Amino acid sequence: MTITWRRSLAGAIGGLLMSLTPAPLNWWGLAWVGLIPLWWVVFPAPTGPSVIAPETPPRSSTWQATALPLILWSIAYHGLSLRWITGLHPLTWMGIPWLGSVAIVAFAWSFITLWGVGSVLLWGLGLQWLNQRTALGTIERILAGTALWCAIEAGRALTPLDWTALAYTQSPGNLWILHLGQLSGNLTVSAAIVAVNGLLAETLRPMWFKWPLRLGGLARSVNGPRLWAALGLFLVSHGIGAILYSQPLNDATAEALNVGIIQGNVPTRIKLSSDGIQQAIRNYTIGYRDLAQQGVDAILTPEGALPFDWVTQPPPLLRRAIAEAQVPLWLGSFGQALDTDGQRRSTQRLFALNGDGDIISHYDKVKLVPLGESIPFESVLGNVIGRLSPLRSYLWPGAGDQTFETGFGRAAIGICYESAFPNLFQAQIQQGANLIITASNLDPYSEVLMAQHQAHDLMRAIEFDRWTIRATNTGYSGIINPHGQILWQAPAHQFVRHSAQIYRRRTQTLYSRTGNWLTPLLVVACGVVWRIRIQRP
């Protein structure tokens, strides 16, 4: 077996291990070793009698030998983690032929998987280029690799497409480490994972590709100080997280709020039909009346609970129920906004209705699902990609500086896919949001997506020290406290009404106050070290 194929096999195995870490499996411990093959591929072992890979391969073969393992790792991790996308098929209910549905779903899955591939390639080849320019020492490799990984993840969070950040491999199973998110967001967790993997890779680096492997030789090859450094970083990071996790919530009784959640369970395939619309109106009216009778302070529905513009088409049945019960409703529906050309476009909207049914606030979804709710680079790719999308019209994104008044103070809102973008919540928390509300559809996808979506919301609850209430259409609606503990979770594919007590909070974590400061710090430190390196005689 050639060196390239051995590297490729190692990359594929590492990616497979990493694909087992996200929810619902959440074998989170594997994330702390799943990146080791990537480090070995980018920084091969030194030349020796029984070592196949040279320290610095010939420039002509470096990129090929590195790229294939990186690609295989990425396909295994991103592709398998996002396998729930295939649940979109079949789209025959939209009038799309069966083969056309397969093509659309395959394109969507490939597109988002290749996005992940591009990120890992940028990391690996970028590190290799840096090492070729200036031979890096152990600490410099760890610093550069961690800084570059965090910078790439931070950049992805600014784009319309992101989901598989390393930190979500730890949610919901590893609550201690997730509390590091209170310091500098989810990238604090990613940095710890990358650095520990790098140190372990450096620990075992001398035996990379030694063949045959013998236990005695393996033991002699292990670098003791680097092993202790890896274990130390793992334990210290978890220790800090454990201290943050152990802090009492100390919720004030005066800040208590009784909330109701309705999980309507109206399948997307019928939602836009007359029967589906009537079912939605019926389910949410029944749910509203039931919860109002329980004496809740406010009621939450999922994204698109009523699949039409509430302003122009308020259903009399639900309006009458609100007028009778006088309980505020946070309603998922659609709205209208002007685009840059002054044309009216539909928005995915969450309304805040007071006890009289009047609109006191609304929030328009900012991060629209690429290829589903929007076309990336619509002005350029619209005509091409539009032919592959099941939608005939696209939604308009909301502004990034929105606030949502609930009648009980401000709330930080995330609509469905936005749960994966912590910067959206951070901006709203800074503006005084005292709780987190997410409203999602999640149909027609499996419980794999439901679990992963919940994992993202759980991280947001911890990062911003906020109670989080989740309403979804088809499953895993829930209540999460600021320590990431899931206090209630709705079953999948059932019509559910639930009431619970949560608390409004006004604390500000370091992350909510300062944002992601760790990544710039790592990048600057990396730049300083590299500058010192190249100036050495």
Side-chain angles (χ1 to χ4, degrees):
M1 184 182 289
T2 65
I3 182 66
T4 298
W5 284 108
R6 289 186 183 181
R7 290 179 177 179
S8 300
L9 178 61
I13 291 173
L16 286 172
L17 292 177
M18 192 65 76
S19 73
L20 300 175
T21 59
L25 289 178
N26 201 221
W27 296 356
W28 57 266
L30 296 177
W32 298 88
V33 297
L35 285 171
I36 290 176
L38 297 188
W39 285 93
W40 282 345
V41 166
V42 174
F43 301 114
T47 305
S50 58
V51 178
I52 299 175
E55 174 73 8
T56 305
R59 187 176 298 272
S60 60
S61 64
T62 298
W63 307 112
Q64 179 183 358
T66 304
L68 183 57
L70 294 175
I71 290 170
L72 292 176
W73 187 95
S74 304
I75 291 174
Y77 170 52
H78 295 286
L80 293 177
S81 298
L82 296 166
R83 63 192 182 278
W84 49 262
I85 292 176
T86 59
L88 189 62
H89 175 75
L91 292 167
T92 50
W93 59 274
M94 299 189 72
I96 297 173
W98 192 88
L99 287 177
S101 174
V102 171
I104 290 169
V105 173
F107 179 83
W109 191 14
S110 301
F111 186 87
I112 193 170
T113 298
L114 289 175
W115 186 253
V117 169
S119 300
V120 177
L121 277 175
L122 180 61
W123 177 79
L125 298 182
L127 276 183
Q128 192 168 84
W129 174 84
L130 187 63
N131 191 50
Q132 287 179 344
R133 293 287 301 272
T134 306
L136 302 175
T138 298
I139 300 303
E140 293 156 341
R141 284 195 288 267
I142 303 301
L143 177 60
T146 304
L148 184 56
W149 191 286
C150 289
I152 292 170
E153 280 201 358
R156 277 186 7 191
L158 300 176
T159 70
L161 189 60
D162 197 20
W163 190 263
T164 49
L166 276 186
Y168 102 128
T169 65
Q170 304 300 291
S171 181
N174 191 357
L175 294 182
W176 285 6
I177 200 67
L178 291 178
H179 276 71
L180 292 186
Q182 293 184 352
L183 304 180
S184 186
N186 68 320
L187 289 176
T188 321
V189 180
S190 295
I193 294 173
V194 174
V196 168
N197 271 274
L199 286 167
L200 289 175
E202 291 289 331
T203 297
L204 301 173
R205 190 167 177 258
M207 51 74 59
W208 174 229
F209 283 139
K210 285 187 176 181
W211 193 261
L213 292 176
R214 294 184 176 88
L215 292 180
L218 176 60
R220 288 191 298 272
S221 297
V222 170
N223 186 298
R226 295 171 190 173
L227 176 61
W228 285 114
L231 294 176
L233 178 57
F234 179 84
L235 294 175
V236 168
S237 59
H238 280 75
I240 295 172
I243 293 171
L244 294 172
Y245 178 74
S246 66
Q247 300 304 304
L249 294 179
N250 294 327
D251 288 309
T253 304
E255 299 295 344
L257 196 65
N258 292 315
V259 296
I261 298 172
I262 307 173
Q263 180 174 288
N265 196 37
V266 182
T268 300
R269 66 180 180 274
I270 69 168
K271 182 180 286 189
L272 299 180
S273 67
S274 58
D275 289 343
I277 290 173
Q278 291 306 311
Q279 180 180 338
I281 295 172
R282 181 172 59 254
N283 284 6
Y284 289 106
T285 302
I286 291 172
Y288 178 87
R289 290 186 186 277
D290 287 351
L291 291 167
Q293 290 175 0
Q294 297 178 34
V296 299
D297 297 311
I299 297 170
L300 174 66
T301 73
E303 170 191 30
L306 300 183
F308 46 78
D309 187 346
W310 168 264
V311 174
T312 60
Q313 307 174 62
L317 187 64
L318 183 54
R319 285 300 300 262
R320 186 162 56 250
I322 297 172
E324 293 170 355
Q326 296 283 298
V327 175
L329 176 64
W330 303 326
L331 175 67
S333 186
F334 289 85
Q336 295 286 324
L338 297 178
D339 65 14
T340 52
D341 296 325
Q343 302 297 315
R344 299 191 70 80
R345 298 276 292 273
S346 294
T347 64
Q348 191 74 257
R349 181 169 289 182
L350 187 70
F351 289 97
L353 308 178
N354 63 17
D356 296 321
D358 298 326
I359 299 170
I360 61 173
S361 185
H362 72 262
Y363 173 91
D364 289 327
K365 188 174 184 178
V366 178
K367 294 286 188 179
L368 300 175
V369 179
L371 305 179
E373 297 172 328
S374 68
I375 295 180
F377 314 108
E378 183 175 354
S379 60
V380 178
L381 302 177
N383 291 334
V384 177
I385 297 180
R387 296 189 181 95
L388 290 174
S389 174
L391 293 184
R392 294 297 173 262
S393 62
Y394 292 91
L395 301 177
W396 187 250
D401 58 351
Q402 300 174 77
T403 58
F404 188 81
E405 302 291 345
T406 66
F408 306 94
R410 289 180 176 174
I413 306 299
I415 298 182
C416 197
Y417 176 59
E418 293 184 323
S419 292
F421 296 89
N423 52 310
L424 293 179
F425 295 86
Q426 192 253 345
Q428 297 179 78
I429 296 292
Q430 275 194 333
Q431 295 175 25
N434 56 38
L435 62 101
I436 294 176
I437 296 172
T438 64
S440 310
N441 182 12
L442 306 189
D443 188 63
Y445 303 108
S446 69
E447 290 190 52
V448 174
L449 171 60
M450 297 177 194
Q452 290 187 13
H453 189 272
Q454 178 180 253
H456 280 291
D457 280 348
L458 187 149
M459 289 194 292
R460 306 293 87 83
I462 294 173
E463 290 161 1
F464 302 111
D465 192 37
R466 290 295 185 271
W467 285 79
T468 298
I469 55 177
R470 312 180 63 245
T472 77
N473 178 23
T474 53
Y476 287 33
S477 299
I479 303 288
I480 304 173
N481 75 9
H483 279 323
Q485 296 165 336
I486 301 169
L487 304 184
W488 173 74
Q489 175 183 299
H493 308 298
Q494 293 185 26
F495 174 36
V496 178
R497 291 89 79 194
H498 181 78
S499 62
Q501 183 171 276
I502 66 168
Y503 295 87
R504 292 163 289 174
R505 295 173 68 84
R506 291 172 173 78
T507 55
Q508 293 283 330
T509 64
L510 180 60
Y511 175 49
S512 62
R513 292 195 303 269
T514 62
N516 172 26
W517 52 267
L518 178 61
T519 299
L521 180 63
L522 289 172
V523 171
V524 170
C526 184
V528 170
V529 170
W530 185 69
R531 184 69 178 173
I532 293 173
R533 261 286 192 177
I534 63 176
Q535 288 181 342
R536 287 178 182 174

